[in-house]
Amino acid sequence: MPELPDVEYFRKYLNSTSLHKKIIGVEVKNSKIIGRVSPAALKKHLNGSKLKITKRHGKNLFAGLSNKKWLTMHFGMTGYLKYYKNKEDVPGHVRLLINFDNGYHLAYDCMRMLGRIDLVDDLSGYIKMKKLGIDPIEDKLSFKEFSELFNNRNGSIKTGLMNQSILAGIGNIYADEILFQADIQPGSNIKKLNEDDLKKIYQKMNSVFKKAISVNADHEELPGNYLLTHRKPGEDCPKCSGKIKKQTIGGRSSYFCNKHQKKK
DNA sequence: AATATTGTTCAGCA
DNA sequence: GTGCTGAACAATAT
C-alpha cells in the first residue's frame, strides 16, 4: 500500500503515538529489513533515546532521534506501523519492535520484507544517495518545475510518474489514479503530451494526493469516481460508460478506461 | 496449482 | 556518464 499518501498517514500515526517516549528496548526480528547500519548499532542508538520529530520524502518516512540520528523507514510493498500495548494486538509479521517505557510497543510489520530501515546522520545525504527526486507535496512543486522534469524524457507517462528519481512518492496505484482522472492513458508516450496534457496531470496529481491524504489513504473513503475501488478488468468505469482494461506497462499491471482516457 | 501483488535495485544495452 | 527496460527479490492470497 505504501505510496505517498499512505506514508504521510504513517507519519501522522507516528506523531500521534510514538513521539517523546523513552525507548527502553529494541528487537530486530529479521535483519533482512535493516539497511547499512548493523542491528547492534541500531539497537545501541535507539535504546535510551526518543523519537522527536517526523519527516517524509516520497515514500520514505524519517524519525529524528534525541541523539541527532535519523531513523529512516521504507515500507516496500507490504510494510506498515502498529502501535499497541496488548499481546493480542501484535501484528503477524513484525520485523522490528521498539518498546517504550509506557508499556506500549511500536512494530514495523513487513510481510514480504521488501521494506528497509536504516539509521543515518544526514537526511539530505540519504536522499541524494537514494537518488530521490522532488516530493510533489512537501516541496510545493510549481507547474513550470513539473513540466521541466519531463523535458527530453522517453517512455510512457506512467513509468515517468513512477520514476522515483524524477518525482518521489508516486507508485503503481496512484499513477493509475492520476492518469485516470486526467483522462490520459498510462501507456501514452511522454513526448506526445502537450502543455495542456501535462497541466492536467499536474493538477490531478495534486488533487488526488490532497484528497487521499485527507482521508488517511483509506480507499473506502475516496470519492466514487476514483478508479481505485474499481481496479479490476471488465469493471464499469466510474467516470463514463466505458469498461476498465488491464495492460502491462513498464512491467506493472495498469488499469484504465479506454473510452474516456485518450491514448497519445 | 499457477498466477498475481501497492517497490526498489541492478544488469544489460543504446 | 545517462537513461530506459525487465528480471530478481519474498511471502502470501486467490
Side-chain angles (χ1 to χ4, degrees):
Chain A
M1 245 188 285
E3 300 184 32
L4 190 153
D6 309 276
V7 179
E8 180 61 18
Y9 168 62
F10 295 157
R11 192 182 71 78
K12 289 174 181 160
Y13 183 80
L14 213 53
N15 282 350
S16 63
T17 60
S18 306
L19 296 193
H20 314 300
K21 297 180 171 85
K22 190 170 178 184
I23 297 168
I24 56 164
V26 177
E27 298 168 44
V28 177
K29 307 277 194 185
N30 195 314
S31 59
K32 202 157 233 165
I33 58 97
I34 308 293
R36 302 187 160 197
V37 71
S38 71
L42 182 69
K43 283 182 197 176
K44 186 184 132 203
H45 286 103
L46 282 175
N47 254 321
S49 191
K50 293 177 181 177
L51 307 181
K52 302 285 275 189
I53 185 178
T54 58
K55 290 190 181 191
R56 184 190 55 71
H57 189 101
K59 303 171 189 172
N60 295 271
L61 178 59
F62 308 120
L65 299 169
S66 46
N67 63 15
K68 300 282 190 341
K69 297 265 181 190
W70 288 91
L71 188 65
T72 72
M73 285 167 270
H74 191 284
F75 297 92
M77 290 215 257
T78 55
Y80 66 96
L81 298 172
K82 172 87 176 178
Y83 181 78
Y84 68 93
K85 184 171 196 177
N86 301 319
K87 273 219 164 67
E88 58 264 32
D89 296 324
V90 181
H93 316 277
V94 180
R95 310 304 183 193
L96 180 74
L97 192 62
I98 295 176
N99 304 318
F100 296 109
D101 68 351
N102 65 353
Y104 277 78
H105 313 274
L106 178 67
Y108 171 89
D109 186 293
C110 192
M111 182 182 78
R112 283 166 64 186
M113 297 201 288
L114 295 171
R116 288 293 177 273
I117 284 183
D118 218 329
L119 196 69
V120 301
D121 292 310
D122 169 31
L123 270 197
S124 61
Y126 179 82
I127 289 166
K128 217 171 267 177
M129 189 259 293
K130 290 285 174 186
K131 296 190 168 47
L132 295 177
I134 293 175
D135 182 294
I137 301 300
E138 201 64 24
D139 295 338
K140 305 235 186 332
L141 184 68
S142 72
F143 172 63
K144 187 165 174 289
E145 292 166 315
F146 176 85
S147 155
E148 282 166 0
L149 292 175
F150 293 99
N151 279 347
N152 302 314
R153 290 279 179 181
N154 280 305
S156 70
I157 181 60
K158 172 168 176 173
T159 310
L161 287 173
M162 287 199 301
N163 184 335
Q164 300 299 299
S165 65
I166 301 177
L167 279 167
I170 304 176
N172 198 28
I173 294 255
Y174 283 95
D176 275 1
E177 187 64 56
I178 290 162
L179 293 168
F180 180 82
Q181 297 300 336
D183 308 325
I184 293 166
Q185 280 195 23
S188 302
N189 192 288
I190 293 171
K191 284 232 172 354
K192 293 190 177 160
L193 300 177
N194 61 33
E195 172 111 357
D196 285 348
D197 298 329
L198 277 177
K199 184 134 213 171
K200 203 158 184 193
I201 293 168
Y202 169 75
Q203 286 165 347
K204 293 301 179 184
M205 173 185 79
N206 283 308
S207 64
V208 166
F209 276 158
K210 194 176 163 197
K211 183 70 201 174
I213 287 170
S214 77
V215 299
N216 289 335
D218 180 349
H219 295 182
E220 300 303 314
E221 298 292 320
L222 290 170
N225 69 348
Y226 270 44
L227 171 68
L228 251 159
T229 40
H230 306 265
R231 249 173 140 265
K232 269 184 200 158
E235 205 68 7
D236 290 331
C237 171
K239 269 184 86 174
C240 75
S241 58
K243 297 273 186 204
I244 301 303
K245 305 273 180 224
K246 180 182 177 184
Q247 188 184 323
T248 299
I249 295 163
R252 309 230 77 97
S253 299
S254 305
Y255 296 82
F256 62 93
C257 168
N258 68 351
K259 188 165 183 192
H260 82 268
Q261 286 179 267
K262 300 285 175 267
K263 170 85 183 216
K264 301 258 177 172

